[in-house]
């Protein structure tokens, strides 16, 4: 008796919070951490008679994403009302895009299982976020915070091209890197700036038809996404092998118990009764806006990675790590320029420097060791002013704010 080989099929919907100063349809602030409901204006709370006005910067950011992924930027797109009723949705509908989104198509290349694969993007559309329900702060009751209502989102919907949790994580990390390179999202998953819903189904290997899918909602860390996907895949396989049927539903992942629980029946598009929003005209991407988006595109992660491995002669693994964050890549290039030794710069950054950041829980910009300081230290090793062992002592001194390499060497008589 041989168990039937199964194949998982995963499609991801990623909500990318755009880095605008004001909301997508109002002038209210998008700053994180304010007291509940102090950043919710008349438009956000849907007072009678108010009208939405589109945020031009949100449009520009969506276009930049479309250009970076090789997608079609629709010069005319339409906003629709997505109707559903929930306490944190004051209007009783969400303004989103459906039939004609601002971005259509595109792809992201991932490296998973030591092979490269292109993951198709179905669409990326603009929409507003809903508010947030607060349960823990109020004993026995729930509160509603509408500060998030109207926050601009770009929802990036992948094709069902992912075949394992590992591929899903590779795709998410690549997308996470891209939106931060483009400076359209800060990528802070703890604050909800980068959230993921996953559609998961299983089918016998070689079967062309898709199985019944379940949706996992609001996964907010790479680790929990991977664990949630793996549990759900195993649950569906076990259910089918035991003679049951997978129900189309929305489920929540419980990271403490490491399992998924049913939340509600999964809606289809017709359940939301989409129709064009009569308060918003079609969104037009004119030549000026398209040119502005194209002119501000940075060197993209894949291109920078290729340049690092060819120009700076670092390993492919180091090139991928060094280009995983735009600030990290900038730090490396400045250090390599300062010392003239790119390989040593890569070794020190991926070793001592990043190790010290992780140990102290610091962000890149919080390091006291500037690229010029690290480059100067590496240069002193290379001209035999100090040994590698002494260099580590000097680095620790620089990290603790004692000065640059020359000052520490003189002070300690090294």
């Amino acid at each position: 008796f041989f168990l039937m080989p199964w194949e998982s099929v995963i499609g991801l919907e990623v909500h990318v919070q755009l880095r605008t100063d004001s909301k997508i349809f109002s002038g209210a602030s998008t700053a994180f951490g304010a007291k509940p409901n102090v950043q919710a204006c008349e438009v956000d709370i849907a007072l009678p008679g108010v009208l939405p006005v589109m945020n031009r910067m949100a449009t520009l950011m969506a276009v930049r994403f479309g250009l970076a992924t090789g997608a079609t930027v629709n010069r005319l797109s339409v906003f629709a009302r997505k109707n559903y009723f929930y306490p944190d949705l004051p209007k009783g509908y969400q303004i989103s895009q459906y039939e004609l989104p601002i971005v259509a198509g595109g792809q992201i290349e991932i490296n998973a299982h030591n092979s490269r694969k292109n993951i198709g993007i179905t669409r990326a559309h603009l929409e507003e976020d809903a508010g947030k329900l607060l349960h823990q702060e109020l004993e026995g009751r729930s509160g509603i915070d509408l500060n998030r209502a109207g926050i601009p989102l770009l929802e990036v919907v992948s094709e069902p091209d992912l075949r394992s949790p590992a591929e899903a994580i590779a795709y998410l990390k690549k997308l996470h890197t891209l939106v931060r390179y483009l400076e359209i999202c800060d990528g802070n998953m703890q604050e909800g700036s980068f959230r993921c819903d996953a559609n998961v189904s299983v089918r016998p290997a070689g079967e062309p038809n898709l199985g019944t899918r379940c949706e996992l909602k609001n996964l907010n860390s790479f680790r929990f996404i991977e664990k949630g996907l793996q549990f759900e895949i195993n649950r569906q396989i076990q259910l089918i092998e035991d003679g049951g049927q997978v129900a189309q539903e929305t489920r929540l992942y419980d990271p403490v118990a490491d399992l998924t629980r049913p939340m509600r029946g999964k809606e289809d598009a017709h359940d939301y009764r989409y129709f064009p929003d009569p308060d918003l005209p079609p969104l037009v991407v004119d030549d000026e806006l398209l040119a502005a988006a194209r002119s501000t595109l940075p060197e993209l992660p894949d291109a920078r990675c290729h340049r690092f491995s060819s120009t700076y002669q670092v390993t492919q693994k180091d090139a991928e790590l060094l280009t995983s964050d735009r600030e990290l890549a900038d730090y490396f290039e400045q250090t390599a320029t300062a010392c003239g030794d790119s390989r040593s710069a890569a070794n020190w950054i991926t070793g001592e420097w990043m190790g010290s950041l992780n140990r102290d829980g610091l962000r890149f910009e919080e390091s006291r060791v500037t690229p010029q300081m690290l480059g100067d230290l590496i240069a002193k090793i290379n001209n035999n002013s100090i040994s590698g062992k002494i260099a580590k002592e000097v680095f620790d001194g620089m990290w603790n704010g004692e000065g640059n390499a020359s000052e520490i060497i003189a002070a300690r008589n090294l």
Side-chain angles (χ1 to χ4, degrees):
F1 176 73
F2 295 96
L3 288 176
M4 179 185 298
W6 293 94
E7 177 181 66
S8 58
V9 179
I10 302 169
L12 300 178
E13 301 171 5
V14 181
H15 294 87
V16 176
Q17 179 176 320
L18 299 177
R19 290 179 60 180
T20 58
D21 293 330
S22 58
K23 296 184 180 180
I24 189 168
F25 299 121
S26 79
S29 172
T30 58
F32 180 81
K35 293 182 179 180
N37 298 308
V38 300
Q39 292 176 181
C41 71
E42 296 88 343
V43 174
D44 307 325
I45 64 176
L47 290 184
V50 298
L51 291 172
V53 178
M54 181 59 198
N55 185 324
R56 179 179 173 84
M57 185 56 69
T59 308
L60 180 69
M61 290 179 174
V63 173
R64 292 178 77 187
F65 178 82
L67 294 174
T69 53
T72 298
V73 175
N74 288 318
R75 302 297 290 269
L76 185 145
S77 59
V78 174
F79 284 104
R81 291 186 178 181
K82 182 180 181 181
N83 296 273
Y84 63 96
F85 296 96
Y86 208 64
D88 59 6
L89 194 70
K91 294 191 293 287
Y93 61 85
Q94 177 190 32
I95 301 177
S96 182
Q97 293 185 317
Y98 179 53
E99 290 182 332
L100 195 57
I102 189 168
V103 172
Q107 64 182 23
I108 288 179
E109 184 184 69
I110 66 169
N111 187 2
H113 312 299
N114 296 317
S115 63
R116 297 195 174 276
K117 180 178 180 180
N118 286 325
I119 306 301
I121 295 174
T122 308
R123 54 194 279 135
H125 60 263
L126 287 163
E127 65 181 20
E128 61 180 346
D129 205 351
K132 182 180 180 181
L133 287 178
L134 307 177
H135 305 292
Q136 296 177 345
E137 292 84 347
L138 303 168
E139 292 185 11
R141 295 175 295 164
S142 293
I144 300 174
D145 179 8
L146 295 176
N147 284 345
R148 287 199 68 89
I151 292 284
L153 302 177
L154 183 69
E155 182 172 342
V156 182
V157 182
S158 81
E159 291 285 316
D161 292 341
L162 301 159
R163 293 293 175 267
S164 69
E167 286 190 1
I169 298 304
Y171 168 83
L172 284 170
K173 287 184 175 179
K174 198 69 175 289
L175 179 59
H176 190 253
T177 295
L178 178 62
V179 297
R180 287 181 295 133
Y181 259 75
L182 296 172
E183 296 182 325
I184 65 174
C185 175
D186 63 20
N188 192 318
M189 299 180 79
Q190 290 73 34
E191 296 179 1
S193 299
F194 189 89
R195 313 194 301 272
C196 173
D197 298 339
N199 290 296
V200 191
S201 64
V202 298
R203 63 186 178 186
E207 167 65 44
N209 296 321
L210 296 174
T212 301
R213 77 185 191 277
C214 290
E215 181 185 38
L216 300 184
K217 289 290 286 185
N218 283 340
L219 301 163
N220 64 356
S221 81
F222 294 130
R223 178 168 167 264
F224 289 161
I225 292 167
E226 187 166 23
K227 287 170 70 71
L229 287 171
Q230 192 60 65
F231 177 88
E232 182 59 23
I233 290 167
N234 292 339
R235 183 191 73 86
Q236 292 186 21
I237 292 172
Q238 189 66 53
L239 180 64
I240 297 170
E241 288 186 343
D242 289 345
Q245 288 187 330
V246 176
Q248 182 172 314
E249 61 186 359
T250 297
R251 300 178 69 88
L252 292 177
Y253 174 65
D254 181 343
V256 177
D258 188 25
L259 52 79
T260 63
R261 293 191 176 97
M263 178 184 176
R264 60 172 182 262
K266 171 64 180 160
E267 298 90 347
D268 286 313
H270 63 264
D271 294 318
Y272 291 117
R273 306 184 314 283
Y274 284 99
F275 63 88
D277 193 308
D279 291 338
L280 283 161
L283 179 59
V284 176
V285 176
D286 56 26
D287 292 342
E288 179 185 354
L289 191 144
L290 190 63
R294 186 171 281 117
S295 68
T296 55
L297 281 179
E299 182 182 24
L300 298 177
D302 284 348
R304 202 168 193 183
C305 181
H306 176 73
R307 180 167 64 83
F308 277 21
S309 60
S310 58
T311 303
Y312 289 115
Q313 298 179 330
V314 297
T315 65
Q316 181 66 27
K317 182 179 179 181
D318 279 348
E320 290 176 0
L321 174 60
L322 292 168
T323 56
S324 63
D325 185 281
R326 188 172 175 177
E327 290 178 344
L328 176 59
D330 291 343
Y331 189 99
F332 164 73
E333 290 213 79
Q334 292 164 20
T335 303
T337 300
C339 68
D341 182 351
S342 56
R343 287 188 178 180
S344 292
N347 290 337
W348 272 87
I349 289 171
T350 58
E352 296 292 323
W353 187 74
M354 293 187 72
S356 298
L357 286 172
N358 292 333
R359 181 194 66 218
D360 295 345
L362 300 177
R363 300 188 300 272
F364 298 142
E365 62 270 21
E366 294 174 317
S367 166
R368 288 196 182 105
V369 181
T370 66
Q372 184 60 48
M373 290 168 66
L374 184 55
D376 182 44
L377 177 65
I378 294 169
K380 290 186 184 314
I381 303 170
N382 290 345
N383 66 21
N384 296 316
S385 296
I386 55 174
S387 68
K389 182 178 180 181
I390 289 176
K392 292 190 177 182
E393 180 183 342
V394 175
F395 178 85
D396 288 339
M398 293 194 304
W399 188 263
N400 293 323
E402 296 177 23
N404 60 33
S406 296
E407 291 167 342
I408 294 171
I409 289 169
R412 300 188 183 186
N413 195 27
L414 300 173

